[in-house]
Amino acid sequence: MKKLLCAVMVSLLSSAAWCDPIRIKDLVEFDGVRSNDLVGYGLVVGLNGTGDGLRNAPFTEEIMSNLLERLGVNVTGEQYQPKNVAAVFVTAALPPFARAGGQIDVTVSAIGDAKSLLGGTLIMTPLNGADGQIYAVAQGAIIAGGVSADGQAAKVVQGVPTAGMIPSGGRVEREVEFDFTQLDSMRLALRAPDFTTAERIEAAINAKMGSGSAEMLDAGTVLLQTKGRSPAHLVSRVENILVEPETKARVVVDQRSGTIVMGQDVRISRVAVAQGNLTLRIEETPVVSQPNPFAEGETILLPRTSVDIQNAPGTGLAEISGGTNLSEVVAGLNALGVAPHDMIDILKSINAAGALHAEFVVN
């Protein structure tokens, strides 16, 4: 694992010692060109006995009754408890410039105690925007990504069978009012704000489109002037301009998986590190004490505890020279001969000592 970590980091460095030019469309978001979130509340039918229990989810019975009433079926006062229906939330994203009649993907998630949505069909569900207006309607067969099986004494669940999606299951019914052609200027919002990257975007646009076409406002915003030109044609030309982005020196670690990712600009000052492991093991082995046959008394449980402390051999004191590039930093850390999880602790300590010259992010 340690050799693999080192090899992966060094190979990444050798393959991309310098960041290749990136299209502006992959670095920024254009003002006004964004999606809108939609949400709805609906009913899934056709489940094989894996739906909501109506006693625990009364809202399922309510929406089912309302649906049947709208279809002309009178169920007032009837006692019915089907297990093949489930109440769900339906979510979707309305893409920019979506037109009436277009289709979008929708996600379906159970909100009751349904065990699975496999094989279910979503009944026509209106999807509302943040303003309360209906922008799309969803309906169709659900594709769930999990499996659930249970018996009287065992249960097996793989994946999440209570959530799924319907590809192209939503149809746009209302368009978002936005006149893109009337924009006199447009803001480009950087996904990773950086003054150097913003300045390079400004220079690249002015060199390609003419002086004064772009102006950097701050680390995360560049103002693009249309100057009477068609905004759509202007954006199509600007978004394909190549720019070499600048990134901060950053170390990102994930303690759960033991993943460590370092940027190529990470530097570590000259520092000495010692690392060792202390293992504490406590075992409980209770003993049952019973009275002799035909003797008075009761059976009791006597506790028995064993404690063992082991101090595993440490790596000693190792010195990490001031790293001038990523390969030297990785080589210095791997010289300690520790696992990735222990390396995360070492990086934390190096950062606390002020010897790690990079942003340290822990997930």
Side-chain angles (χ1 to χ4, degrees):
M1 176 62 74
K2 298 185 290 293
K3 294 182 179 179
L4 177 61
L5 178 65
C6 182
V8 169
M9 288 186 173
V10 173
S11 64
L12 288 175
L13 176 67
S14 60
S15 63
W18 299 98
C19 183
D20 295 329
I22 307 297
R23 296 177 302 178
I24 289 181
K25 69 188 304 180
D26 299 321
L27 298 174
V28 305
E29 297 286 351
F30 291 91
D31 189 18
V33 184
R34 56 180 294 271
S35 60
N36 292 275
D37 294 327
L38 305 177
V39 65
Y41 174 77
L43 195 69
V44 173
V45 299
L47 303 176
N48 187 20
T50 59
D52 291 338
L54 299 185
R55 178 176 299 178
N56 298 327
F59 43 81
T60 304
E61 181 179 1
E62 180 180 354
I63 188 175
M64 186 168 57
S65 300
N66 293 337
L67 177 61
L68 292 176
E69 291 287 349
R70 290 199 300 268
L71 295 176
V73 180
N74 186 7
V75 295
T76 304
E78 297 292 337
Q79 296 293 330
Y80 58 99
Q81 294 184 348
K83 295 183 178 180
N84 60 345
V85 297
V88 294
F89 271 132
V90 184
T91 58
L94 185 66
F97 311 115
R99 300 306 176 194
Q103 294 179 318
I104 58 177
D105 297 338
V106 299
T107 301
V108 182
S109 305
I111 61 175
D113 57 356
K115 299 178 181 178
S116 175
L117 298 180
L118 288 171
T121 301
L122 177 69
I123 300 301
M124 186 167 48
T125 303
L127 302 180
N128 303 322
D131 56 358
Q133 299 292 329
I134 298 176
Y135 286 90
V137 174
Q139 181 171 278
I142 299 173
I143 300 177
V147 177
S148 176
D150 56 13
Q152 293 183 352
K155 180 178 181 180
V156 177
V157 177
Q158 181 178 2
V160 185
T162 54
M165 68 173 302
I166 307 176
S168 302
R171 190 172 300 277
V172 179
E173 300 292 342
R174 182 194 299 266
E175 300 177 2
V176 178
E177 297 296 336
F178 179 65
D179 194 351
F180 190 71
T181 62
Q182 299 301 318
L183 293 178
D184 295 328
S185 62
M186 184 184 308
R187 292 182 301 177
L188 279 59
L190 276 71
R191 297 191 179 99
D194 183 85
F195 282 103
T196 304
T197 303
E199 191 277 334
R200 291 177 181 176
I201 291 177
E202 176 194 41
I205 294 177
N206 287 333
K208 186 76 173 181
M209 310 302 299
S211 179
S213 297
E215 177 186 1
M216 181 181 68
L217 302 182
D218 50 49
T221 309
V222 175
L223 184 64
L224 180 65
Q225 301 290 346
T226 61
K227 293 184 177 180
R229 292 171 289 187
S230 169
H233 288 85
L234 181 63
V235 170
S236 68
R237 297 182 59 187
V238 167
E239 65 181 4
N240 290 298
I241 298 176
L242 298 179
V243 174
E244 183 178 314
E246 186 70 22
T247 58
K248 290 183 179 179
R250 182 178 287 115
V251 177
V252 181
V253 300
D254 189 332
Q255 291 182 311
R256 291 168 294 183
S257 62
T259 303
I260 305 173
V261 179
M262 296 184 184
Q264 65 178 5
D265 296 322
V266 174
R267 301 290 184 269
I268 294 181
S269 298
R270 191 180 187 93
V271 65
V273 178
Q275 192 271 345
N277 292 320
L278 182 67
T279 303
L280 174 62
R281 180 180 295 124
I282 301 177
E283 295 182 355
E284 296 287 348
T285 56
V287 177
V288 177
S289 176
Q290 293 181 336
N292 294 327
F294 306 106
E296 295 183 359
E298 59 182 4
T299 301
I300 61 176
L301 189 66
L302 300 177
R304 291 289 187 272
T305 303
S306 61
V307 180
D308 181 26
I309 299 179
Q310 297 180 354
N311 191 1
T315 58
L317 188 66
E319 182 178 358
I320 302 177
S321 301
T324 58
N325 55 47
L326 179 58
S327 61
E328 293 184 9
V329 172
V330 174
L333 292 176
N334 279 274
L336 296 174
V338 296
H341 280 90
D342 295 328
M343 192 178 295
I344 292 176
D345 295 331
I346 292 175
L347 288 172
K348 288 182 181 178
S349 300
I350 294 176
N351 182 59
L356 179 63
H357 305 295
E359 181 182 359
F360 192 74
V361 181
V362 180
N363 294 329

